[in-house]
Amino acid sequence: REQAKRWRRKQRLAKKEAMARLPGQTRLQGAAVGAQCLDNYETLLERFRGWHGQPLPEGAGEMAVLLAEYFDHLFFEGEELHVGTKTLAAVLHECPQMGRGSRSSLQVARQALAGWKRLNPPKARLALPWQLVALIVKLMLDEKRYMMAFLTVLDFHGYLRPGVALGLRWRNFVPPLVSGRVHGKQPINSQRLWTLNIHYQEDQVPSKTGTWDETVELGDVCEWRWISGVMESLMGWKARQKKKDGELLADFTMAQWSRTFVRLGQQAGFSRTEMLHLYCLRHGGASHDAAYRVRNIMDIQKRGAWKTPGSIARYSKPGRLNQVMNILNAAGKKAASSAVAQLPGLLRSAFSK
């Protein structure tokens, strides 16, 4: 009797798993992987398609090149290697004719994964202190990389992922309802603040955590009130340049941004180049605000759209920021402190030309 029960249970599970399949597959094809694995594959493929914005290619050569470009995107977004390997597995499960299970399939994509594995930064990345970021931004301004400098600051202040910052369009910025800047410790009124709206549902590209229509207030705390003046200068520059609302802000690629960030970090005297990852700007903003008590942990969690307080607990450790700053020599630390004071005026001036 027990054997009969186990057999019937096994049959029910097999039938359930056989019902799970990707569009265009037979039940037995769907049963090649478990139902939970198939759910993961569907999620990864949906994200891949959302990034590409059009139907995926049917040829193996085109697919390999597209996957390699997508892996670049994921790497600079700070994703872990397993996301790339599972995406490749999902593509091969959906399109077995491209060589499922064969190491010779989609070689360009596999080569990109090999490079990712070699360069993959540690999962627990140290946050970058604001003084160091300000110095790198000042060096960007010296090279007339004005938009790259602005988006680097925005990444830090808004806890943005690099890919989100790179994809911002002018229409993502919403001006205050009430004109006039907020000064000093004057009470904050959201109607007087610039806001950044991201992940519009009509764009059909959700955030990493699957959320839509997120809002980030700019200059909402005393320490960052100066950014409202930068926004006014930036919008004046937009009008003079006759930029359209649907245009991208970024006039550079992710790879160019990353290379410039590392190079200028070295120029600033920061020797630990493996720590100069763009994703550390998101961590740095949260760490700075927690360490200097600019915001409490719940506000930081909400601003960065982290799912749980545990995800950001590691950021409230000022000793780690000091540890990173101590990599700079005395002259570097002095230059970094000076950059913090000069940056608001330099950014306003850059966009007033």
Side-chain angles (χ1 to χ4, degrees):
R1 185 178 296 176
E2 285 299 317
Q3 277 186 329
K5 283 185 179 179
R6 283 198 296 270
W7 183 84
R8 285 195 296 272
R9 188 181 305 119
K10 188 176 180 180
Q11 288 293 99
R12 284 198 302 272
L13 288 172
K15 184 177 180 181
K16 182 180 179 182
E17 291 215 336
M19 292 296 291
R21 51 186 169 152
L22 294 172
Q25 288 187 331
T26 67
R27 287 189 175 87
L28 291 179
Q29 278 182 290
V33 297
Q36 185 174 353
C37 179
L38 197 64
D39 282 344
N40 291 335
Y41 282 178
E42 286 184 296
T43 301
L44 291 166
L45 289 170
E46 182 181 352
R47 186 177 175 189
F48 183 28
R49 290 190 182 96
W51 169 81
H52 185 45
Q54 50 189 297
L56 298 179
E58 296 181 0
E62 293 175 89
M63 179 66 82
V65 172
L66 185 64
L67 278 169
E69 293 173 356
Y70 182 55
F71 294 158
D72 264 14
H73 164 75
L74 293 176
F75 173 78
F76 288 115
E77 276 283 86
E79 291 286 3
E80 293 300 313
L81 176 63
H82 68 84
V83 178
T85 56
K86 287 179 180 177
T87 300
L88 177 61
V91 168
L92 290 174
H93 178 72
E94 186 181 52
C95 309
Q97 70 276 15
M98 292 186 183
R100 185 176 187 274
S102 170
R103 290 183 179 271
S104 63
S105 61
L106 304 178
Q107 276 298 300
V108 175
R110 292 182 187 276
Q111 187 178 42
L113 285 177
W116 189 347
K117 183 177 181 180
R118 182 171 173 270
L119 298 174
N120 191 30
K123 187 171 183 179
R125 301 179 186 91
L126 286 178
L128 296 178
W130 171 232
Q131 296 94 320
L132 174 60
V133 174
L135 180 54
I136 293 174
V137 170
K138 182 178 180 295
L139 294 174
M140 288 177 178
L141 292 172
D142 290 343
E143 293 187 355
K144 295 183 169 48
R145 300 178 185 271
Y146 301 141
M147 195 56 69
M148 186 180 289
F150 171 72
L151 289 178
T152 301
V153 171
L154 194 66
D155 234 24
F156 189 95
H157 175 45
Y159 312 166
L160 302 181
R161 295 181 176 87
V164 172
L166 199 70
L168 288 177
R169 300 179 186 274
W170 291 100
R171 62 183 170 85
N172 291 111
F173 294 93
V174 180
L177 286 176
V178 180
S179 60
R181 299 183 197 174
V182 182
H183 298 282
K185 295 185 178 181
Q186 193 175 337
I188 297 170
N189 182 339
S190 294
Q191 292 186 333
R192 301 175 73 94
L193 297 175
W194 282 88
T195 55
L196 177 63
N197 290 348
I198 52 179
H199 305 302
Y200 287 126
Q201 193 154 9
E202 54 266 34
D203 290 342
Q204 298 184 348
V205 181
S207 72
K208 180 181 174 183
T209 54
T211 55
W212 305 90
D213 297 319
E214 296 176 7
T215 296
V216 179
E217 292 183 333
L218 305 179
D220 58 320
V221 289
C222 293
E223 187 173 341
W224 286 94
R225 295 284 170 83
W226 57 268
I227 208 165
S228 62
V230 175
M231 289 302 306
E232 290 171 13
S233 297
L234 179 67
M235 291 302 157
W237 180 87
K238 175 203 171 191
R240 290 192 299 276
Q241 297 295 319
K242 298 180 180 179
K243 296 286 185 180
K244 296 179 180 177
D245 286 346
E247 287 186 51
L248 290 168
L249 271 75
D251 52 2
F252 50 87
T253 66
M254 184 74 79
Q256 289 170 335
W257 190 9
S258 179
R259 284 196 298 267
T260 303
F261 191 73
V262 172
R263 176 176 60 79
L264 294 180
Q266 288 178 300
Q267 186 177 321
F270 193 79
S271 57
R272 295 284 299 279
T273 55
E274 74 278 5
M275 295 170 60
L276 293 172
H277 195 284
L278 290 174
Y279 205 87
C280 294
L281 293 169
R282 170 173 162 85
H283 292 178
S287 293
H288 174 87
D289 288 356
Y292 291 93
R293 296 176 173 81
V294 176
R295 308 177 201 275
N296 61 44
I297 290 296
M298 295 305 294
D299 287 341
I300 292 172
Q301 179 189 345
K302 181 181 178 181
R303 186 173 183 83
W306 281 285
K307 289 293 187 183
T308 62
S311 301
I312 53 172
R314 66 182 183 273
Y315 298 142
S316 53
K317 298 176 182 178
R320 298 295 271 176
L321 293 176
N322 296 341
Q323 179 185 359
V324 176
M325 274 301 293
N326 281 330
I327 295 173
L328 291 174
N329 58 25
K333 290 176 187 174
K334 185 177 179 180
S337 297
S338 176
V340 170
Q342 296 174 10
L343 203 57
L346 290 174
L347 279 167
R348 286 197 302 271
S349 176
F351 292 109
S352 297
K353 299 174 182 177

